[in-house]
Each structure stands twice: as C-alpha cells, then as structure tokens.
Amino acid sequence: MRIVALAGGIGGARFLRGLQHADPKADITVVGNTGDDISLFGLRICPDLDTVMYTLGGGINEEQGWGRAEETFTLRDELAAYEVGPSWFTLGDRDFATHIVRTQMLEAGYPLSAVTEALCDRWRPGVRLLPMSDDRVETHVVIEDDEGRRAVHFQEWWVRLHAAVPARSIAAVGAEDAKPAPGVLEAIEAADVVILPPSNPVVSVGTILSVPGIRSAVAAKTVVGVSPIIGGAPVRGMADACLTAIGVRTSAGAVAEHYGADLLDGWLVDTADAALAGDLGGITVRARPLLMTDVEATGEIARAAIDLASELRA
Ligand code: GDP
Ligand code: CA
C-alpha cells in the first residue's frame, strides 16, 4: 500500500511509528511541515522534520517527544556564558550537530529536500521524508501585549510565550509563492491513501496544505484523518490557541468541518466524541480510542485509519 502522510512534529511522528507497526510493508512518504523552521545561532533548525527523523530513526528523547535521547547541554551553557541567546529555545549538543550539517549543506547550495535525504541516510527512518517545500515558509503570529501589537515567529509565541498571549492571526509567510518540494505532488498522486495524523490542524497540517498545489492534490485522493482533539481539548500542547486564532472551535467535529468534505473522506474521533460517529456533512466519522499511549495502541489507531480508507476507496 502506498501511503502519504502530512505530518507535524510530536503527534505526527508518534502516529507514523504506529503506522509502520500496523503495516510494516507499506510504502510511506511523509510530507513534513517546515513552517516551524527557524534560524538561530546562524543555524537552520527544522523542528518537525527532525522530530519525525529522530522518532522513526530511534534517536528521539521519548519522554519529551522532541530532541535527542541522552542529550548534553555544554554548547548551550557556553553560549549562555557569553550571554548569547535566545535562551528560551533549547538545543542540545547532539541536536546541534544536525543543524550544523544542515546549515553547511544549505550554504553549499543543496535544497532542503536533498539535505533531509542526506540526514536520513544516517537515521534510516523507514519512510521517505520530504519537506513540504524547498522554499522558505515561516509561520508568524500576530500578538498584542504590553509591548504592543506585533508579529513574532511561531516559535517565539509557542515556546517563549507558551501561546499564553492570544494570537490575533496566524500566517504562513512565503507560502503563496512556495512550490511543493520535488516528489511531493508525485507521491500524493501515486498514493492509495493520504492520511492526516493527529498533528496540529492549523500550524502543522494547515501549513502544509497552504503550499499551492498540495491541497488540491490531496483532495483528489481518499483521505482519512485522525483527530488531535479529544473531548474538546488537545491531547498535549496548545492547539486550542491556534484554532481559536483562526475562529475554529476546539472540538473534533469543528476540526473536521474546518478541513472540509472536499478534502476529508474519513475522520477518526475518540470514544469521548462518539456522538459524532456517522456522517458529518459528507465525512464518514468513526469513534475509537485515540490515545497514542504506546506503539501497540498507536498501531491500532493507524490500522483503523488504513481500514477506513480502504473501505471508503472501495
Ligand atoms: P508538534 O509539531 O510537535 O506540535 O506536533 P504535531 O503538530 O504533529 O502534533 C500536535 C498535536 O498532537 C496536538 O494537537 C495534540 O493534541 C496531538 N496529540 C498528541 N498526542 C496525541 C494522542 O495521543 N492522541 C491524539 N489523538 N492526538 C495527540
Ligand atoms: Ca511543529
């Protein structure tokens, strides 16, 4: 089975591990979000691509869900001794090496897709990992606080401010002029199913879909999504703050309606939202436990997504 998944960071990566478990023979292409990418200390950092690469490649810090296992922080402490910031974005020594390799290759002229492939030569994630675009797209958030109304990088809002300052609007800067990375549209066209893991619907999946050409290519396929919202709240993180910013209620049903019946064919919701099961304006909704507690449980969620897609395709 040829599967394409559109993934953000932690929610996407954990689901993908379950997908591999559910169908070890599946040919999986992951289109990763690069809207969270940021340049710090002269280095290009791609948090979502790295979270997928480390999680599937066996290098992730399991408890945290991001960053490297067995990490040390000598470099961070040395930078702090020079009072060189920002101090709010944590980067460990092992992780720094990834960003150094990436930045060197980008500066030598390689596109991000080629750099990602080279990094994956080491990590062997067992999927084809493609950035959504080789062009620079950055999610910015308009906020208003004591310092006035201004746009900040997504990471500053999310990590430094913990999304506690309400977002007036969220924009994927550069998206309208971006092109899908080589292989993205081809993989979607060749896919038997496209799966939307329980990633952030606004700043992960929404950003990927904002790259011209991707949404219509996905909409032409059988698409099944897994709700990141359970019982009216995100399972972890602050996706509710993103949904509020774009005027969408934090509920599994509202997220499905936001994606729309033109895009989504099937939608898995948690048993806490079982009242939604049935037909939601043309989207087939099924309820089952959606907590990704371990690889087994996550594999069963992924299996349910594949089964629903196969059923809808037939
Ligand atoms: P990020 O880029 O690291 O924020 O990660 P993603 O965008 O891939 O995923 C974030 C989303 O994953 C959040 O909205 C969470 O609600 C969702 N999530 C995390 N753990 C679970 C889980 O166990 N089950 C479900 N259904 N969603 C989850
Ligand atoms: Ca992310």
Side-chain angles (χ1 to χ4, degrees), residues 165-253:
V165 183
R168 305 284 170 195
S169 61
I170 298 178
V173 178
E176 57 280 23
D177 300 319
K179 286 185 299 297
V184 168
L185 295 182
E186 294 82 349
I188 295 169
E189 273 153 27
D192 298 308
V193 321
V194 176
I195 295 183
L196 309 185
S199 283
N200 188 308
V202 183
V203 296
S204 293
V205 178
T207 308
I208 299 169
L209 292 171
S210 75
V211 175
I214 294 187
R215 189 186 168 103
S216 54
V218 170
K221 311 302 291 192
T222 301
V223 183
V224 169
V226 179
S227 178
I229 305 298
I230 296 182
V235 180
R236 57 181 284 169
M238 302 151 296
D240 48 334
C242 302
L243 289 165
T244 303
I246 64 161
V248 174
R249 273 181 307 113
T250 303
S251 79

Side-chain angles (χ1 to χ4, degrees), residues 95-165:
D95 200 21
F96 259 116
T98 303
H99 312 317
I100 291 169
V101 174
R102 173 184 295 120
T103 305
Q104 277 191 333
M105 286 190 71
L106 288 171
E107 282 173 3
Y110 290 96
L112 183 61
S113 50
V115 175
T116 305
E117 194 180 340
L119 293 171
C120 286
D121 278 346
R122 171 183 174 191
W123 289 102
R124 311 216 163 260
V127 299
R128 185 158 175 240
L129 177 60
L130 303 174
M132 64 189 198
S133 178
D134 279 336
D135 301 320
R136 199 149 158 163
V137 177
E138 270 185 13
T139 303
H140 287 200
V141 180
V142 175
I143 57 168
E144 199 165 358
D145 61 9
D146 303 343
E147 295 168 46
R149 193 184 180 97
R150 63 195 196 283
V152 297
H153 190 286
F154 170 74
Q155 298 294 358
E156 187 171 353
W157 179 61
W158 195 253
V159 180
R160 185 168 86 86
L161 303 170
H162 305 290
V165 183

Side-chain angles (χ1 to χ4, degrees), residues 1 3-5 7 12-13 15-21 23-32 48-49 51-57 116-117 119-121 123-131:
M1 190 169 214
I3 302 172
V4 168
F15 176 83
L16 289 165
R17 194 156 56 180
L19 188 60
Q20 289 179 320
H21 185 75
D23 190 350
K25 289 206 283 288
D27 171 343
I28 304 170
T29 298
V30 178
V31 179
D48 285 358
L49 293 179
T51 295
V52 170
M53 184 173 79
Y54 294 156
T55 301
L56 302 185
T116 305
E117 194 180 340
L119 293 171
C120 286
D121 278 346
W123 289 102
R124 311 216 163 260
V127 299
R128 185 158 175 240
L129 177 60
L130 303 174

Side-chain angles (χ1 to χ4, degrees), residues 35-121:
D36 295 15
D37 295 6
I38 187 166
S39 294
L40 297 171
F41 311 108
L43 301 174
R44 192 69 181 154
I45 299 161
C46 302
D48 285 358
L49 293 179
D50 288 350
T51 295
V52 170
M53 184 173 79
Y54 294 156
T55 301
L56 302 185
I60 200 77
N61 178 325
E62 291 288 347
E63 299 74 53
Q64 201 169 249
W66 54 271
R68 292 286 310 278
E70 292 161 41
E71 189 56 287
T72 55
F73 296 92
T74 307
L75 205 40
R76 177 193 65 186
D77 296 346
E78 287 296 312
L79 288 163
Y82 286 110
E83 295 183 30
V84 169
S87 55
W88 50 263
F89 201 88
T90 306
L91 294 170
D93 300 328
R94 291 172 190 272
D95 200 21
F96 259 116
T98 303
H99 312 317
I100 291 169
V101 174
R102 173 184 295 120
T103 305
Q104 277 191 333
M105 286 190 71
L106 288 171
E107 282 173 3
Y110 290 96
L112 183 61
S113 50
V115 175
T116 305
E117 194 180 340
L119 293 171
C120 286
D121 278 346

